[in-house]
Amino acid sequence: MVSMSAASGLGKIHVITGPGRGKTTAAFGLALRAAGHGLRVCIVQFMKAGQTTGEVLAAKRIREIEIAQFGTGKFIEPGKLSKEDIECARKGLEHARRILAQGKCQLLILDEINLAASFGLVSVKDIFELLDSCEGAVEIVLTGRNAPQELLQRADYVSVIESKKHPFDKGARARQGIEW
């Protein structure tokens, strides 16, 4: 593992949001960079279950990266949340709290938490409490579309992913290894 001096300066908050594709991929790129330098990485995925994207499959091969998914595996429509959807999100937040309390990682990625907040699966208040609980000892990344304004203001880094052109716009199918 990395020495404390090598990990000094941690504690920043990153938000990766926007309507374009690639937010999760960007966060996994940061996870790969951190793991390459010996940092422990925990990724908590909201609204996802049984995902076999290339990022998840590759990250599971890296001992410094731990991934947990909290979702039903079903598409969620805004305004049509099931009790199961809400329960999965609650369990995801609880898992993230435990990770921070146990000091399990130096980089925590909360994948799709912005979207979960915009759908009402988690509250911004709960996210702030989670951010406050680590007292600057962990770098935290929040991904997903529709990041609440309060999170954008709190973040140290904000990246907005836009799509100017994508084959999906012409009806192309997602390709294994490229889009997933």
Side-chain angles (χ1 to χ4, degrees), residues 142-174:
L142 312 168
T143 77
R145 319 175 165 251
N146 306 330
Q149 191 63 38
E150 302 95 325
L151 292 177
L152 297 175
Q153 291 170 349
R154 172 88 183 258
D156 299 289
Y157 297 82
V158 175
S159 297
V160 179
I161 307 292
E162 292 185 46
S163 182
K164 297 291 185 182
K165 185 177 183 181
H166 197 290
F168 286 173
D169 300 336
K170 294 182 180 178
R173 297 180 127 200

Side-chain angles (χ1 to χ4, degrees), residues 107-168:
L107 173 63
L108 174 62
I109 296 172
L110 303 172
D111 187 37
E112 298 296 357
I113 197 163
N114 298 333
L115 189 58
S118 79
F119 280 11
L121 291 169
V122 299
S123 72
V124 172
K125 178 183 177 239
D126 286 338
I127 297 170
F128 276 0
E129 287 173 3
L130 184 69
L131 295 174
D132 292 340
S133 73
C134 67
E135 300 178 14
V138 177
E139 203 83 0
I140 299 181
V141 180
L142 312 168
T143 77
R145 319 175 165 251
N146 306 330
Q149 191 63 38
E150 302 95 325
L151 292 177
L152 297 175
Q153 291 170 349
R154 172 88 183 258
D156 299 289
Y157 297 82
V158 175
S159 297
V160 179
I161 307 292
E162 292 185 46
S163 182
K164 297 291 185 182
K165 185 177 183 181
H166 197 290
F168 286 173

Side-chain angles (χ1 to χ4, degrees), residues 62-80:
I62 301 170
R63 66 179 167 88
E64 290 86 3
I65 300 177
E66 172 188 307
I67 301 172
Q69 296 179 331
F70 296 90
T72 63
K74 300 174 190 166
F75 183 76
I76 299 174
E77 291 184 47
K80 296 183 179 180

Side-chain angles (χ1 to χ4, degrees), residues 2 29-41 64 107:
V2 83
L30 182 55
L32 184 61
R33 175 183 288 161
H37 286 286
L39 297 176
R40 294 179 318 270
V41 179
E64 290 86 3
L107 173 63

